[in-house]
Amino acid sequence: MHKIAIDMMGTDLGIAPIIDALKVFVKKYSDVFFVLVGDKAAIKEGLNNKKIDPSRYEILHTSEVIAMTEGMMEVRRKPDSSMVRSAELLANDKVEAFVSGGSTAAYLSACHFIIGELEGINRPAFMPFIPTIKKGKSVMMLDVGANLENNARDLVNFALMATVYAKVIMNLNNPTVGLLNIGHEESKGKDYHKEAYKMLQGNNNINFYGNIEPRDITSNIVDIIVTDGFTGNVALKTLEGMAKNLMAVLKQELTKNIFRKLKALSLRKAFRGVRETFDYRNNASALMLGLKKVAVKTHGSSDAKSWISTLEMTRKAVINDFVKKIEAEIKKGV
């Protein structure tokens, strides 16, 4: 049975959404055991009356919590925090993956100092899945916030790692890679964009499409989009906000008067489908590619639906042992 550690503390919504997700998850999948890391009393209280099979989890008590507002230094200042202990379980091979919805700055610090990067990877990357206009199809984009700056070699490594993931887990034979830029022309962008373009184009292990503009992120043009962490984070949050606001405006317009309400009733399934397609909670987490082990970060405000999708992503990464496959690809020196 595969073991996954969950950092139970430090999220915006507390323990309850994680417990609700676990209740659904353990009924759906029988091959995962969880180590729930955090305040034992609080976790037990959250588990009370949830009727989750006790043989599917254990609780590791910790005395400290890294708050969402705290930074990277808290990893050193709070050695008995749930985040640090979860990362240590992974580093010491006590579990096969580590999941957290806590402080991003502290999470990045724990990943770097406790888990460590693969040889040949200078900067790991957050890789979420972004829905596209094609039903059931997402695009992988990295980095979306693990780094503020990246160079051309980083972007090539991102493309290689995501390509392995796409082949191994998504069963894509020849996934396409796009470089996020301000125009399609090869001459567009900063110097590192131009350098990355040439390196991606010349790499036989990458199916390079070319530059892709931000407006085409959800257009299902490519399978993978590579960019620096700052730009990727801005793009991701813009898309999430736009999707949320668009649905709010649609609801407002469709319920403005009785006539629209009546017409909207006949289209409710269509609108429900649109909402479901662009609901970021279906893909609320991001894999941390480039580490020696499987680590996953989810939104601090993740609800139960978001946590279920997060745990499912983690399970897929673990059972497919994709980190070793990425390591083998990077060792080729391409």
Side-chain angles (χ1 to χ4, degrees):
M1 188 172 285
H2 301 289
K3 281 191 174 184
I4 296 174
I6 302 179
D7 170 16
M8 300 290 288
M9 316 303 292
T11 66
D12 292 327
L13 301 181
I15 290 172
I18 310 176
I19 300 295
D20 289 339
L22 283 171
K23 184 175 181 178
V24 175
F25 188 91
V26 297
K27 288 181 179 179
K28 189 174 182 180
Y29 303 101
S30 60
D31 56 357
V32 179
F33 180 89
F34 291 98
V35 181
L36 310 181
V37 187
D39 184 283
K40 189 171 185 177
I43 295 172
K44 278 191 171 182
E45 183 180 352
L47 287 165
N48 190 33
N49 297 323
K50 290 298 182 179
K51 297 181 180 179
I52 300 175
D53 183 353
S55 69
R56 300 293 303 280
Y57 68 86
E58 67 177 87
I59 300 172
L60 175 62
H61 176 70
T62 60
S63 60
E64 297 174 306
V65 176
I66 296 177
M68 185 64 71
T69 54
E70 293 182 304
M72 60 185 299
M73 293 306 297
E74 300 310 308
V75 169
R76 297 296 180 93
R77 293 172 182 150
K78 296 181 176 180
D80 196 39
S81 64
S82 54
M83 186 178 290
V84 170
R85 294 303 184 207
S86 297
E88 288 176 344
L89 286 174
L90 181 57
N92 294 325
D93 294 323
K94 302 296 184 182
V95 296
E96 296 169 77
F98 149 50
V99 184
S100 177
S103 162
T104 300
Y107 177 86
L108 291 170
S109 180
C111 286
H112 174 69
F113 290 109
I114 299 173
I115 301 170
E117 293 81 15
L118 291 169
E119 186 178 351
I121 299 296
N122 293 323
R123 296 176 184 272
F126 279 138
M127 186 184 77
F129 295 77
I130 299 171
T132 70
I133 58 173
K134 183 177 180 181
K135 188 175 181 179
K137 175 69 184 299
S138 297
V139 61
M140 295 169 275
M141 187 163 77
L142 64 168
D143 180 25
V144 297
N147 308 281
L148 286 179
E149 296 180 354
N150 291 104
N151 58 34
R153 170 48 61 185
D154 291 335
L155 299 188
V156 173
N157 283 339
F158 295 168
L160 285 169
M161 292 190 292
T163 294
V164 173
Y165 186 96
K167 289 180 177 179
V168 170
I169 296 182
M170 301 183 72
N171 297 316
L172 298 177
N173 292 326
N174 196 24
T176 52
V177 177
L179 174 63
L180 192 64
N181 209 328
I182 57 173
H184 291 290
E185 299 86 352
E186 185 177 347
S187 59
K188 291 287 188 177
K190 296 183 178 181
D191 288 342
Y192 81 91
H193 287 109
K194 299 170 188 175
E195 183 182 356
Y197 190 104
K198 292 178 180 178
M199 293 174 71
L200 290 165
Q201 191 176 46
N203 194 305
N204 294 327
N205 295 286
I206 297 171
N207 183 12
F208 184 50
Y209 169 85
N211 286 330
I212 182 169
E213 295 187 44
R215 63 188 174 190
D216 291 323
I217 290 174
T218 61
S219 297
N220 192 37
I221 293 175
V222 295
D223 301 302
I224 299 160
I225 298 173
V226 293
T227 184
D228 65 273
F230 182 86
T231 304
N233 190 267
V234 171
L236 177 66
K237 290 178 178 176
T238 300
L239 289 169
E240 289 177 348
M242 187 62 192
K244 181 180 179 181
N245 292 335
L246 177 61
M247 295 310 301
V249 171
L250 275 173
K251 183 177 180 180
Q252 178 182 311
E253 289 297 319
L254 290 170
T255 58
K256 186 168 283 188
N257 56 56
I258 187 62
F259 302 106
R260 289 189 180 183
K261 286 181 181 179
L262 290 172
K263 289 182 179 179
L265 282 174
S266 64
L267 296 172
R268 63 186 183 277
K269 287 185 178 180
F271 289 120
R272 192 181 299 126
V274 173
R275 182 179 62 190
E276 182 65 19
T277 295
F278 290 101
D279 187 348
Y280 74 88
R281 294 177 301 167
N282 295 323
N283 300 282
S285 55
L287 279 161
M288 188 70 162
L289 293 191
L291 297 179
K292 294 177 181 177
K293 313 280 184 179
V294 177
V296 179
K297 178 72 171 65
T298 191
H299 285 299
S301 58
S302 289
D303 60 9
K305 183 177 182 180
S306 300
W307 271 100
I308 290 169
S309 68
T310 296
L311 296 177
E312 288 180 333
M313 176 193 286
T314 307
R315 175 182 174 273
K316 281 184 181 180
V318 168
I319 64 177
N320 285 283
D321 202 14
F322 90 102
V323 169
K324 286 188 177 178
K325 290 166 180 149
I326 285 177
E327 186 175 20
E329 191 71 18
I330 297 300
K331 282 183 177 180
K332 290 180 182 178
V334 295

